[in-house]
Amino acid sequence: MTSQWERLFRNEGVWQGSFTQFSPTGEVLEEVASVVSLEGLNQGDVMRQVVRKLPAQKAPEEQIYEYRSLGKGVLFFENGAFSQGSIQWGPLSEFGAELGLIWGDRRLRLVQIFGKDNQLSKLVLIRETRLGSERPATSPLRVADLLGTWHGEAITLYPDLRPDDTYQTCLTVKQTDCDRLQQTLQIGKRPQQVQSIGFIQGSLIQFEQGTQVLCLPDGASAAGPLSVQPQTALFLEVGWLIEPGLRQRLIRYYDKGGAWTSLTLVTERRDA
């Protein structure tokens, strides 16, 4: 087992890409080229992060951070995937999280922010490749890309650092009408299944439970509520269709009291 600090270093390197801001319904508001470097210093006791944004026709913007330890709101998986963000939702306060996936020389990160009015206010998709590697040509995620039966393995981490949980998943997504989806999730060997109905509105899938899935560029998706409701459990999720038939999802869960409870990474493959 590697430590959380060691897992941070899976992200070491220079990452070229872009920050793209979307409205809650998926309209592109702004896209800015970026270079992010993560470098270990002092024999690995310090991680130095430099974020350079390169807006068109404007001076570059640079922010520098140095980390000697990890905060309470962040957890890393063995492969370097991670999430950092709010550990507690509260009324009249900003709330949100970043969810980051990594696959070889590619990273995909999503930031979801809710304003003081509890409404989803900002979505930022960050797509990156390591310096010297090529960014493969990919297409925006389509609803059709999600259809089928997906078998996967899930790993759940906990903020209190209790032992991880690992279990099998089976997700079936069917289009039952031109504008309707049926989603069925089974976790582990337990017979019970969780079923939900979604309504397709272009690149957006709106579920009856008040959550939505937004299809984004480069096979990405953002899932979660449009607003945070008191005394209601919620989750924030990023999905990534890495290649046809291979998908990862990273989900940050909060309980009814608004406390962060767990972080789950699912790697799933679609049945032929």
Side-chain angles (χ1 to χ4, degrees), residues 103 105-107 127-130 133-139 218 240-243:
W103 190 268
D105 290 327
R106 302 161 62 194
R107 289 203 309 177
R127 294 162 284 166
E128 301 167 307
T129 56
R130 287 188 199 270
S133 63
E134 292 188 7
R135 182 168 163 177
T138 55
S139 302
D218 284 2
W240 189 13
L241 188 69
I242 297 166
E243 58 187 48

Side-chain angles (χ1 to χ4, degrees), residues 1-263:
M1 289 287 293
T2 54
S3 69
Q4 285 289 307
W5 185 252
E6 290 172 313
R7 294 177 181 188
L8 164 64
F9 278 76
R10 299 282 193 268
N11 291 269
E12 192 172 17
V14 178
W15 299 89
Q16 294 180 307
S18 63
F19 285 60
T20 307
Q21 184 175 337
F22 295 86
S23 73
T25 53
E27 292 82 12
V28 176
L29 303 178
E30 182 184 37
E31 183 162 5
V32 178
S34 61
V35 179
V36 175
S37 67
L38 290 146
E39 178 186 9
L41 304 175
N42 194 24
Q43 286 78 51
D45 290 338
V46 177
M47 174 64 88
R48 187 171 193 262
Q49 181 181 29
V50 180
V51 180
R52 297 189 78 233
K53 293 183 179 178
L54 309 168
Q57 301 177 343
K58 293 183 181 179
E61 303 168 8
E62 185 172 280
Q63 295 173 302
I64 300 174
Y65 308 90
E66 289 192 353
Y67 309 101
R68 291 172 173 80
S69 62
L70 297 175
K72 294 181 179 179
V74 62
L75 280 175
F76 284 84
F77 289 87
E78 184 75 39
N79 70 344
F82 71 95
S83 178
Q84 62 179 340
S86 303
I87 61 174
Q88 177 71 49
W89 171 81
L92 305 178
S93 62
E94 194 173 78
F95 168 82
E98 175 184 359
L99 299 140
L101 295 168
I102 183 168
W103 190 268
D105 290 327
R106 302 161 62 194
R107 289 203 309 177
L108 186 138
R109 298 185 283 141
L110 176 73
V111 178
Q112 299 185 62
I113 300 294
F114 294 78
K116 294 181 180 180
D117 60 357
N118 302 337
Q119 303 297 309
L120 180 62
S121 63
K122 183 184 292 187
L123 287 167
V124 181
L125 181 67
I126 307 160
R127 294 162 284 166
E128 301 167 307
T129 56
R130 287 188 199 270
L131 184 66
S133 63
E134 292 188 7
R135 182 168 163 177
T138 55
S139 302
L141 187 70
R142 304 169 303 157
V143 172
D145 296 324
L146 304 176
L147 303 180
T149 297
W150 300 78
H151 283 93
E153 180 177 80
I155 304 170
T156 295
L157 309 182
Y158 299 94
D160 59 9
L161 301 183
R162 76 183 81 163
D164 306 347
D165 280 331
T166 302
Y167 46 93
Q168 302 301 307
T169 64
C170 179
L171 174 66
T172 300
V173 184
K174 296 180 180 179
Q175 187 165 352
T176 58
D177 205 338
C178 62
D179 63 349
R180 184 173 296 193
L181 285 180
Q182 178 179 294
Q183 182 172 279
T184 304
L185 175 64
Q186 181 173 326
I187 296 174
K189 296 180 180 179
R190 292 175 291 179
Q192 62 264 38
Q193 297 178 335
V194 179
Q195 193 170 93
S196 53
I197 300 295
F199 298 89
I200 304 167
Q201 304 168 14
S203 62
L204 184 67
I205 307 169
Q206 189 73 47
F207 284 91
E208 293 175 328
Q209 294 84 351
T211 61
Q212 68 172 22
V213 175
L214 184 61
C215 297
L216 297 170
D218 284 2
S221 62
L226 278 170
S227 64
V228 180
Q229 303 296 326
Q231 297 302 309
T232 303
L234 68 105
F235 68 90
L236 305 176
E237 175 184 302
V238 63
W240 189 13
L241 188 69
I242 297 166
E243 58 187 48
L246 171 63
R247 190 165 183 247
Q248 282 195 330
R249 294 184 290 121
L250 184 60
I251 312 117
R252 190 176 176 106
Y253 291 98
Y254 292 82
D255 65 16
K256 289 183 178 181
W260 176 37
T261 58
S262 63
L263 181 67

